[in-house]
Amino acid sequence: ISGDTVICQGKTLSLTATQISGASYVWVGPATNTNTNPLVKTNMQFSDAGVYVVTVTSPNGCTITRSVNVIV
């Protein structure tokens, strides 16, 4: 996972999992559940701090999960 993990309040969070052709992505975090990669969340607030988890599923069905702690 790449991207800034320390974000000022009101700024935009952008987290990117390694791109794999044909893979699907599921991001889950505080008040977040999206299938887009990168994860982009605008107007970050203190309540948005916490662990963000991405699960990547390759075209052949293999999955990998990674997490990152984000501080606001």
Side-chain angles (χ1 to χ4, degrees):
I1 299 174
S2 63
D4 289 333
T5 57
V6 178
I7 303 291
C8 292
Q9 186 176 12
K11 296 296 184 179
T12 298
L13 173 69
S14 180
L15 299 174
T16 304
T18 301
Q19 293 288 343
I20 300 172
S21 180
S24 64
Y25 299 82
V26 176
W27 284 94
V28 178
T32 302
N33 189 344
T34 184
N35 295 328
T36 61
N37 188 49
L39 164 69
V40 177
K41 190 167 186 176
T42 60
N43 193 27
M44 290 289 288
Q45 299 300 310
F46 295 123
S47 60
D48 296 318
V51 177
Y52 287 76
V53 178
V54 63
T55 300
V56 182
T57 304
S58 70
N60 64 0
C62 295
T63 61
I64 189 167
T65 301
R66 294 288 185 261
S67 64
V68 64
N69 188 44
V70 173
I71 300 168
V72 178

